[in-house]
Amino acid sequence: MKNTFLLLLLFFAFITCSEEAMAQSYGVRVEAPRALVRPSEEIISWTTRGEKLKKVELWLEDANRQKIEDLPLEGTKKLFFDGKNGYYIALRAGKQVFKRYGIQPRLIDTTEQALQVEKQVLVEGEELRYQWYQPYFRRCRLFLGDSVMIANELPNSYRNQLKLPAGAYTLRLECWNDDYPHHKLVSTVSVRVLREPSFSVEPVYLHSPLDSLNRPYVARWEVDSSLEVNLYRVNERLNYGYVRAGMPHNDTTRLASHLPAVGSIPLDTPSKHQVIYYMLETRIPSMQYAHYLYAKGEVVQTYKDTTKAWSFKVSINGQAVEKKANIEAFSGDVVRIEWQSKGYVRAAFFDPGWNAIEPKMPAKGRYTFIPTESGIYHFVFYDEEKKATGIPLLRVQKPLATGGVVKIEELPKQHRLHFQIIETDKSRYPEQISFKVVVTDSVGRFVSGLDAVPGKYFKKVIEEWQGKPAEYSILSVKEVEEDLLRPKVFVTVADYSGSMYGQPIIVQEQAIKAFIEAKLDADYLGFVQFDDRLRRTTHITQSRDTIAGTYRFAGLKEFGGNTALYAAIDEAVKMLEEMPGKDKYEKYIVLLTDGYENSSFAYWRTHAFDLKQLAIHAGKAGVKLLIFPIGEGVNFFTLSRLAELLDGLFFPVVNRYEQLKEVYRNVPRLLRRYYLVSFKPLRKDDWREFQLEVWNQVNTQRLRRSVATIPLDQLPKLDDFRAQEQEFVPSESKTAHLFNGKQVIVPPQVIVHFDYNSSKLLPQALPALDSYAEFMKKDPLVVAELYGYTDLKGDDEQQIKLSEQRAKAVFDYLVKKGIQAERIRYKGFGKAHPVWKEEKEPWQAAENRRVEIVLLR
């Protein structure tokens, strides 16, 4: 029985294999159309293979599958295709059908557009982006109009872009197959390219207090002749989001309709120093296109205003302070402010992050508060036209660990403790986030023993969640004292730009000497010095002697130029990435600077040149940033954002040697003794604001800490920070918005300086100009605004003309280098926006004589 069963299995296997082999030995090759643009009769041809092939049949592929006729083994036949039913050829060898070949070309709906464009209405200089995809025709070509061929022999899937001058155009796509050229797909799209629009409002100038405001603002515009033009007054203060997006404002009054494409018109006569915003509407109703341009009319005062004044009386912990601004205090101090003003209607008080502590205060009054955040607190006065005048009133610091340890039980019960979050550990997120917190007494000693009583000193963590406060319990508090023999790596980036002239550079170099002398044996140190040049002064090493022998303490003798801040920090990141065994160590960049950036773009080929690029690069390298701001004009916004993004620490503003020396030299020890405070937040991958609530033995206070719980290259907030960096000036913005609707991608960069009373380009400026020209050639969507400036000497109107001549000199050079003139706009500002408001030294006047460039897209 077993043998019989095996024989049957072998027999059936043989029959099955024979049938599969027979099926594979037969075949047919059919030539038939793949796609048709209309029902028609077409000739098909076929050839078959297989020695024992008995029959070839033609069937109609419909619901009933009707056989039409038997066919010879090869031949041609004319068939009618209607796009609904198809055919198939069946191969027979005996009764078995071994193969079917379908013939069913697709009937293309020519009303569907195969050719697509990103925008049908463009502005001159924009690229027209087009694409198509259709799988049925193998060859395509593209025409501009009826006769101008743009490209031939293109595939059935394609995308590209081209630039067109102003005018109306039709793009026509033709696609076909060689065997059936009479079935041709034709797809057309209409496109209109508009002239680059311009819209401005001439200011009203006041040259003395006796000048009367009896002259109106004058609006001037020049747009494409095909546009319908209307002019409106904006009835409230303008948000620059409208400007960048070209959106309509919803609170306007129409002033004029159906205006010519080029023209001017007198507008409102201002009252006092009134600023009025205007909106120019441009539209093509037939194409459902509308775009909006904005400009503001303002009164420009060319003389010193004696009608406005302010004064302060400040006391700290009951003691009167003589200084009237930049008053120094500690967090936890009781600060009492009394103020008077003339020519202002209200005031406001802001914390270091420009969050309003008191948004609406009278023009005269008194206020008492206890500062908790370190940084600069501003008092801002507003006049009737809401024009703001900001005063940096307070510089608040937190006493940091400068040496020594004291137990909590050794301190008086009412002794105020100072808490500082120095670092964020996200390595275990989403299970938990940990803050490293340093707690000091009033003289800077580390306070030990706070973890002995759970919940007494570290209360909870609070976060705004879906419009309501969410509270997180503290999971653990652990006092940590790391081994001093465990290495850490510190690369110090020291600012040697011209703005560090005088006391700041002296303080900085003395502090660096103290830092080198206090180096722990296990730690690695490296140094980068920079102005608009980058120098690796000392490569990363453990040798104190090597460091002391290579660092060049020369003040500004070898530097003193502009400030490539982002590129310098990125250079330090590169140093850390090149270090052998880098993954074994905690890596820190220590930054000494006043925080202003105006030259990093010159390194665009090799280095980060803006806040977003730098944060992403440093974040991926696992680098944390410790920032020591030095000088009077510290750029708090940029520096504090950098520290938060890289989970590091922004130290209080310091200007005295002893103060900086003690904190800076103690950084390696500060990072090794702390409290590790852990909590489990809700899961949300975003930029988040936490507040750690603590008890300082006097009152409860909250420590703010921003944390990115998402990789920085996926953080949309980074673009907001980059935009805020350009606009973050309380009273006015240096960005002139000569190109409406464009977004700034590179902050204002100093591109060239000039000799006194000259607009001639100096030879040393040409390499930087060539670099900008190269970048603009690589990215044709980028445009440039040029701002010319002078020093503070001479007649105002003459200096305006000279500054415009300087900006035009740069414009002419870039055009000569191949950049289209319509991609560059320039303006002269004369003495406005000086780098140095007082020109006590010749080099300060030289730095004011400059042209700045802003890149937009």
Side-chain angles (χ1 to χ4, degrees):
M1 287 293 292
K2 290 183 179 179
N3 292 337
T4 305
F5 180 70
L6 289 172
L7 288 172
L8 286 172
L9 284 177
L10 290 171
F11 174 74
F12 284 117
F14 173 76
I15 293 297
T16 303
C17 292
S18 299
E19 290 180 353
E20 289 178 358
M22 187 178 297
Q24 292 173 3
S25 64
Y26 297 111
V28 61
R29 183 172 181 272
V30 179
E31 294 289 341
R34 297 180 67 232
L36 307 172
V37 297
R38 59 185 177 279
S40 64
E41 280 191 335
E42 302 295 336
I43 296 176
I44 69 165
S45 62
W46 69 93
T47 57
T48 61
R49 69 174 187 273
E51 295 180 1
K52 297 183 180 181
L53 188 62
K54 300 296 184 182
K55 189 182 294 185
V56 180
E57 300 172 347
L58 178 66
W59 288 69
L60 178 65
E61 183 73 271
D62 61 3
N64 300 319
R65 282 198 172 177
Q66 306 171 42
K67 178 181 176 181
I68 300 175
E69 60 180 298
D70 293 330
L71 299 174
L73 296 181
E74 62 179 71
T76 60
K77 185 172 182 62
K78 184 177 290 188
L79 298 177
F80 180 77
F81 297 97
D82 60 3
K84 299 177 181 178
N85 299 318
Y87 303 87
Y88 69 85
I89 290 177
L91 305 183
R92 287 187 183 275
K95 296 182 178 180
Q96 182 69 36
V97 174
F98 287 106
K99 184 167 284 191
R100 291 188 178 92
Y101 187 95
I103 310 170
Q104 189 170 9
R106 182 180 178 87
L107 186 64
I108 302 299
D109 183 359
T110 55
T111 62
E112 294 183 3
Q113 286 284 32
L115 177 61
Q116 297 179 340
V117 295
E118 188 176 291
K119 294 194 294 185
Q120 282 189 265
V121 181
L122 302 94
V123 177
E124 194 171 17
E126 281 190 85
E127 287 185 331
L128 171 63
R129 301 177 185 273
Y130 60 88
Q131 64 178 19
W132 67 79
Y133 171 71
Q134 52 76 29
Y136 308 106
F137 298 97
R138 295 178 179 174
R139 296 181 59 190
C140 297
R141 58 189 174 191
L142 186 66
F143 292 86
L144 186 63
D146 294 329
S147 57
V148 179
M149 185 182 297
I150 299 174
N152 195 10
E153 301 294 336
L154 295 173
N156 58 5
S157 177
Y158 188 72
R159 66 175 57 194
N160 206 343
Q161 61 274 335
L162 60 91
K163 280 190 177 180
L164 297 171
Y169 303 91
T170 299
L171 286 182
R172 181 163 57 89
L173 174 71
E174 294 183 356
C175 298
W176 73 97
N177 292 321
D178 286 337
D179 295 337
Y180 301 90
H182 52 289
H183 283 281
K184 185 179 294 183
L185 173 67
V186 179
S187 181
T188 61
V189 176
S190 296
V191 176
R192 181 165 293 178
V193 181
L194 307 175
R195 290 174 54 194
E196 179 78 24
S198 65
F199 175 48
S200 62
V201 176
E202 291 183 358
V204 173
Y205 289 95
L206 292 182
H207 299 288
S208 78
L210 301 178
D211 281 359
S212 59
L213 290 167
N214 56 6
R215 290 160 289 166
Y217 296 131
V218 177
R220 299 187 186 278
W221 67 91
E222 184 175 351
V223 301
D224 194 88
S225 58
S226 61
L227 292 170
E228 178 184 306
V229 182
N230 304 306
L231 183 62
Y232 298 80
R233 181 197 305 115
V234 179
N235 296 328
E236 61 181 45
R237 189 170 181 83
L238 186 66
N239 184 324
Y240 273 102
Y242 288 100
V243 175
R244 286 193 289 267
M247 297 165 50
H249 200 284
N250 56 12
D251 186 6
T252 58
T253 301
R254 180 175 290 195
L255 302 179
S257 303
H258 304 292
L259 296 169
V262 179
S264 63
I265 187 173
L267 302 172
D268 307 88
T269 299
S271 60
K272 296 188 178 179
H273 290 182
Q274 183 183 18
V275 175
I276 305 176
Y277 291 85
Y278 296 92
M279 179 179 79
L280 190 74
E281 177 186 52
T282 60
R283 58 171 55 248
I284 306 175
S286 62
M287 301 186 75
Q288 297 183 339
Y289 169 83
H291 188 74
Y292 299 84
L293 305 172
Y294 292 88
K296 70 175 178 179
E298 59 182 336
V299 178
V300 178
Q301 181 177 296
T302 62
Y303 63 93
K304 186 175 181 180
D305 189 355
T306 58
T307 63
K308 295 179 180 178
W310 48 263
S311 64
F312 291 99
K313 291 181 180 179
V314 178
S315 65
I316 297 176
N317 298 325
Q319 299 293 318
V321 179
E322 294 297 327
K323 291 181 68 175
K324 303 304 180 185
N326 292 312
I327 299 166
E328 295 183 355
F330 286 103
S331 63
D333 287 341
V334 179
V335 180
R336 178 182 174 87
I337 307 168
E338 188 174 341
W339 68 94
Q340 293 182 347
S341 66
K342 181 176 72 171
Y344 298 100
V345 295
R346 69 178 181 89
F349 192 43
F350 295 87
D351 71 8
W354 283 98
N355 303 302
I357 299 173
E358 290 291 339
K360 293 184 179 180
M361 305 172 79
K364 176 183 178 181
R366 61 184 63 177
Y367 180 67
T368 302
F369 84 113
I370 299 175
T372 58
E373 297 291 329
S374 61
I376 302 175
Y377 289 71
H378 284 81
F379 211 93
V380 180
F381 291 104
Y382 297 89
D383 62 15
E384 290 182 351
E385 285 77 37
K386 299 182 180 180
K387 191 173 182 180
T389 301
I391 299 97
L393 185 63
L394 286 175
R395 292 177 178 267
V396 175
Q397 310 172 37
K398 294 186 179 182
L400 294 175
T402 55
V405 179
V406 62
K407 293 183 178 180
I408 182 62
E409 56 265 25
E410 297 174 3
L411 296 173
K413 288 186 178 180
Q414 296 299 314
H415 187 96
R416 183 187 298 277
L417 304 180
H418 298 272
F419 292 76
Q420 178 84 12
I421 300 174
I422 62 169
E423 202 171 309
T424 303
D425 181 359
K426 302 179 296 189
S427 60
R428 296 184 60 189
Y429 176 80
E431 293 305 316
Q432 71 177 43
I433 291 176
S434 299
F435 293 144
K436 294 182 180 180
V437 184
V438 171
V439 185
T440 58
D441 65 359
S442 58
V443 295
R445 295 177 297 178
F446 182 85
V447 180
S448 176
L450 300 188
D451 56 346
V453 185
K456 180 177 180 180
Y457 294 99
F458 299 95
K459 299 288 189 180
K460 58 188 174 183
V461 176
I462 302 168
E463 179 188 22
E464 191 78 13
W465 181 271
Q466 296 179 350
K468 298 179 180 179
E471 297 186 356
Y472 308 126
S473 300
I474 302 295
L475 298 178
S476 64
V477 177
K478 180 181 178 182
E479 184 176 340
V480 177
E481 184 177 5
E482 295 182 6
D483 189 346
L484 295 180
L485 298 178
R486 181 183 174 188
K488 295 180 185 288
V489 186
F490 299 92
V491 175
T492 294
V493 179
D495 188 346
Y496 277 73
S497 64
S499 60
M500 298 290 288
Y501 176 79
Q503 187 67 14
I505 197 65
I506 296 171
V507 168
Q508 176 174 281
E509 290 202 332
Q510 290 174 337
I512 290 173
K513 287 179 183 178
F515 182 70
I516 295 172
E517 291 170 0
K519 173 192 173 300
L520 297 176
D521 291 338
D523 286 345
Y524 292 83
L525 303 187
F527 289 87
V528 174
Q529 294 173 296
F530 76 96
D531 53 0
D532 50 6
R533 295 155 293 175
L534 314 178
R535 178 195 287 172
R536 294 189 182 186
T537 305
T538 304
H539 291 271
I540 297 173
T541 178
Q542 279 183 313
S543 169
R544 185 183 289 105
D545 292 339
T546 300
I547 298 167
T550 55
Y551 196 92
R552 304 174 71 165
F553 296 96
L556 297 183
K557 292 180 182 178
E558 300 176 8
F559 289 93
N562 296 314
T563 313
L565 175 66
Y566 296 141
I569 302 173
D570 202 45
E571 180 72 8
V573 176
K574 292 174 182 288
M575 284 180 68
L576 291 165
E577 288 179 323
E578 295 166 8
M579 179 184 177
K582 59 182 181 297
D583 295 332
K584 296 187 297 183
Y585 310 112
E586 288 186 276
K587 301 180 287 295
Y588 297 89
I589 292 175
V590 183
L591 177 62
L592 305 173
T593 181
D594 59 6
Y596 282 92
E597 153 61 45
N598 59 21
S599 295
S600 287
F601 188 78
Y603 297 90
W604 66 268
R605 300 179 188 87
T606 56
H607 290 70
F609 59 80
D610 68 8
L611 181 68
K612 179 176 181 178
Q613 293 179 349
L614 176 60
I616 291 172
H617 186 197
K620 288 181 177 178
V623 175
K624 295 184 178 178
L625 188 61
L626 309 175
I627 300 177
F628 288 89
I630 302 175
E632 294 296 328
V634 170
N635 185 351
F636 177 89
F637 180 82
T638 296
L639 295 181
S640 61
R641 280 289 180 259
L642 266 175
E644 288 180 330
L645 285 165
L646 299 178
D647 300 322
L649 178 59
F650 179 77
F651 287 82
V653 178
V654 289
N655 296 297
R656 296 193 303 270
Y657 160 61
E658 287 299 329
Q659 185 182 23
L660 175 61
K661 168 189 166 184
E662 288 304 316
V663 180
Y664 175 38
R665 71 182 297 186
N666 202 50
V667 160
R669 291 173 175 81
L670 168 71
L671 298 174
R672 286 177 164 93
R673 187 147 197 177
Y674 51 85
Y675 289 95
L676 192 66
V677 182
S678 303
F679 65 99
K680 183 176 181 179
L682 294 169
R683 178 69 183 262
K684 181 175 69 167
D685 295 335
D686 203 348
W687 179 256
R688 305 173 68 171
E689 301 278 351
F690 297 106
Q691 295 183 68
L692 173 62
E693 188 171 287
V694 298
W695 170 251
N696 63 19
Q697 297 205 119
V698 176
N699 54 32
T700 300
Q701 68 180 97
R702 291 179 179 178
L703 311 178
R704 187 187 64 83
R705 186 71 172 181
S706 299
V707 179
T709 54
I710 188 173
L712 292 180
D713 56 354
Q714 301 174 28
L715 181 64
K717 193 78 174 176
L718 265 182
D719 289 316
D720 296 340
F721 290 157
R722 181 164 64 179
Q724 291 170 25
E725 183 187 14
Q726 321 310 328
E727 300 295 342
F728 198 78
V729 181
S731 58
E732 61 183 341
S733 170
K734 284 179 64 175
T735 306
H737 301 292
L738 304 180
F739 283 96
N740 289 312
K742 301 285 187 180
Q743 184 169 354
V744 175
I745 61 170
V746 177
Q749 304 278 289
V750 176
I751 194 172
V752 59
H753 289 98
F754 295 86
D755 287 336
Y756 176 72
N757 203 28
S758 171
S759 60
K760 183 179 178 181
L761 294 178
L762 300 174
Q764 57 265 37
L766 302 186
L769 294 174
D770 293 341
S771 175
Y772 280 88
E774 181 183 347
F775 182 82
M776 294 184 71
K777 287 177 181 177
K778 286 181 177 290
D779 190 342
L781 297 181
V782 168
V783 297
E785 296 182 359
L786 303 173
Y787 310 148
Y789 299 98
T790 66
D791 56 28
L792 303 181
K793 304 180 183 70
D795 177 73
D796 290 346
E797 291 186 6
Q798 289 299 320
Q799 295 295 66
I800 288 283
K801 292 179 181 178
L802 177 58
S803 64
E804 186 153 333
Q805 290 168 2
R806 288 172 174 171
K808 187 175 187 305
V810 177
F811 170 86
D812 291 339
Y813 185 86
L814 293 175
V815 171
K816 182 180 176 182
K817 284 293 180 178
I819 308 302
Q820 297 94 329
E822 60 269 16
R823 293 175 59 194
I824 311 170
R825 293 181 181 175
Y826 61 89
K827 184 175 181 179
F829 289 90
K831 301 177 184 178
H833 311 308
V835 176
W836 296 98
K837 294 183 179 180
E838 293 184 19
E839 296 174 344
K840 298 178 180 179
E841 302 287 340
W843 63 268
Q844 292 174 317
E847 285 204 356
N848 283 337
R849 297 191 296 267
R850 70 199 189 279
V851 167
E852 293 182 357
I853 184 170
V854 176
L855 297 183
L856 309 94
R857 184 185 289 116

